[in-house]
Amino acid sequence: MEERYFEITRENLKKFVDSLISGGSEVIAPRDRDGDTFYGKIANFDEANLDMLLPKMSYKEFLLPKTEILFEYSLFGTETEIKDGLEYARGANKKRVIFGGRPCDGAAGRIMEKVFNWDYKDEFFNERFKDLAIISIACEKPDNYCFCMDIELSPESSYGSDILLKKDGGKYFATVTDEKGMALITPCMNLFKEISRDKMPAPKDWKKSFDIEKTKEFLDKNFEHKYFQERFLSCIGCGICTYACPTCHCFDIQDEGGCKEGRRIRNWDSCQFSIFTLHASGHNPRVTQGDRYRQRLMHKFKIYSEKFNKYLCVGCGRCSRNCPEDIDIREIAKDLADME
Ligand code: SF4
Ligand code: SF4
């Protein structure tokens, strides 16, 4: 569908979100908890924190839970009962709305969707993603860790969001990008005023700080470069960079239980863990933390873009903000671009 444009006051935005909740939607928004801000279910609009830049973790867990059951089995005498874990995925995502995240997070689901529908269609991911609606809010001021503008997005990009809100002059301007967005606002059309595109606030001129194509060109030619071994000596392999990331999606599959009952589960994993690529023989092809962080860079800025024509990174800066060793992926991507 062609994009459509609307104005909405803050008071009406509150009524809109509260009506989504009272209409049975599960609204997930940035909300304060334990001295920080995380995505979580809100009971009303006022529980959302729309003033902070980004929640500490992304909303990835609502698409790819930290742990999910793929199937469960129970034995009754000689009979075996199997319960398909897809039922949990189907039940989880009816009318779920991610509200008040930023454009980088809005883009992340659509980027991850590509790998989950490549050689194998991951029904678990797809069940959660197909009905999920995303209402993002454009950023007014990125921080020093943000680099969405260097990676084909911007603080006001609507890519991946069904609705993008932009605050301007005390009210919000909404870009509705698709039918999913229209389905959300149609029951509350009295709260919105449709306007023409030329009445929307003009986009700002966001400056790039480096050329990500040059980062990729460096990675294309310099797999063995000493930079990787030297730069990541301080990395302790904690993996929080990958867990906080909205686009990292590595997982491991485990069986647990016994001969009477049990289950197969899928858990988040991380390429930054030393045993991630440990073979049964004892051989590990990624010996050092430099090998492991190089893999992360290769996957994000080379391999994924070659396969899916998108970088596996939205420039949110979460990995850098959360890193206990202050390893900043924006600085690293820029270093590599400058060395090319
Ligand atoms: S968060 Fe920092 S220290 Fe931890 S694995 Fe990632 S880069 Fe290494
Ligand atoms: S790699 Fe870092 S900056 Fe890129 S999407 Fe993941 S957390 Fe955000």
Side-chain angles (χ1 to χ4, degrees):
M1 114 182 184
E2 288 275 301
E3 283 185 353
R4 290 174 66 177
Y5 308 99
F6 300 86
E7 255 181 47
I8 183 167
T9 62
R10 185 176 167 95
E11 192 183 327
N12 281 345
L13 184 64
K14 173 177 158 65
K15 286 184 191 163
F16 168 57
V17 171
D18 287 341
S19 77
L20 290 175
I21 295 167
S22 60
S25 292
E26 184 185 45
V27 177
I28 307 293
R31 55 173 302 181
D32 296 333
R33 173 162 63 83
D34 303 330
D36 220 315
T37 309
F38 297 87
Y39 281 106
K41 184 176 173 180
I42 54 168
N44 57 62
F45 176 85
D46 293 329
E47 285 187 355
N49 179 350
L50 304 183
D51 297 324
M52 57 94 55
L53 186 66
L54 277 169
K56 189 177 176 73
M57 306 290 279
S58 77
Y59 68 82
K60 174 171 72 181
E61 64 183 293
F62 295 99
L63 290 173
L64 181 67
K66 289 170 191 157
T67 294
E68 78 178 320
I69 295 168
L70 301 181
F71 65 80
E72 293 169 309
Y73 64 87
S74 313
L75 260 63
F76 302 98
T78 55
E79 299 295 313
T80 307
E81 188 180 288
I82 304 278
K83 183 170 181 190
D84 188 346
L86 208 46
E87 289 175 34
Y88 297 117
R90 288 196 182 111
N93 194 34
K94 288 294 161 249
K95 297 174 81 177
R96 184 177 272 165
V97 180
I98 306 287
F99 169 71
R102 298 301 183 177
C104 51
D105 277 356
R110 191 167 294 174
I111 291 173
M112 270 208 299
E113 185 189 19
K114 295 178 188 301
V115 71
F116 284 105
N117 287 279
W118 166 47
D119 55 345
Y120 175 78
K121 302 228 171 305
D122 189 306
E123 291 178 81
F124 289 81
F125 178 93
N126 287 339
E127 276 298 329
R128 289 188 164 89
F129 192 50
K130 72 180 164 65
D131 294 323
L132 185 86
I134 300 178
I135 306 175
S136 305
I137 302 183
C139 299
E140 293 171 53
K141 198 170 178 310
D143 76 5
N144 289 338
Y145 289 112
C146 296
F147 63 106
C148 58
M149 52 287 235
D150 297 307
I151 194 145
E152 302 179 335
L153 295 167
S154 90
E156 40 193 350
S157 166
S158 61
Y159 178 82
S161 297
D162 303 297
I163 301 176
L164 177 73
L165 297 168
K166 195 169 168 185
K167 200 172 169 192
D168 193 88
K171 58 187 166 190
Y172 289 87
F173 291 82
T175 301
V176 181
T177 65
D178 58 16
E179 302 292 350
K180 217 190 257 184
M182 279 311 297
L184 285 184
I185 71 167
T186 299
C188 308
M189 205 52 109
N190 59 319
L191 303 175
F192 292 82
K193 177 182 162 200
E194 187 150 17
I195 57 173
S196 58
R197 183 177 187 153
D198 60 325
K199 296 280 186 301
M200 293 289 282
K204 290 184 192 160
D205 182 19
W206 302 101
K207 295 268 183 283
K208 289 184 182 212
S209 60
F210 66 96
D211 182 353
I212 192 71
E213 283 295 312
K214 293 216 175 307
T215 307
K216 181 179 181 306
E217 282 168 28
F218 181 90
L219 293 170
D220 285 341
K221 296 181 213 149
N222 293 289
F223 187 80
E224 299 288 359
H225 200 284
K226 65 179 181 180
Y227 178 92
F228 300 113
Q229 300 308 332
E230 291 172 357
R231 182 68 179 81
F232 300 107
L233 282 171
S234 63
C235 173
I236 56 172
C238 66
I240 187 64
C241 49
T242 55
Y243 281 8
C245 176
T247 55
C248 280
H249 53 265
C250 288
F251 57 79
D252 190 21
I253 291 177
Q254 299 278 338
D255 292 334
E256 56 180 35
C259 56
K260 292 285 184 199
E261 58 181 20
R263 55 192 189 161
R264 177 162 292 173
I265 53 176
R266 160 157 84 176
N267 301 320
W268 284 4
D269 204 345
S270 170
C271 60
Q272 297 310 293
F273 295 157
S274 58
I275 59 168
F276 183 73
T277 46
L278 181 63
H279 296 182
S281 66
H283 171 66
N284 192 340
R286 297 185 201 145
V287 182
T288 66
Q289 214 52 42
D291 295 343
R292 296 190 266 277
Y293 205 96
R294 175 182 60 195
Q295 168 58 26
R296 186 160 192 261
L297 295 168
M298 288 281 176
H299 194 192
K300 295 211 165 279
F301 301 128
K302 172 175 161 57
I303 300 165
Y304 205 85
S305 74
E306 286 171 356
K307 203 174 270 298
F308 301 118
N309 207 23
K310 275 278 167 201
Y311 294 109
L312 186 63
C313 172
V314 293
C316 68
R318 273 195 187 88
C319 52
S320 314
R321 271 183 223 102
N322 281 294
C323 176
E325 295 297 326
D326 204 21
I327 293 172
D328 182 338
I329 199 168
R330 180 186 49 88
E331 275 178 17
I332 291 158
K334 186 172 181 313
D335 278 354
L336 301 186
D338 291 346
M339 283 197 282
E340 170 53 31

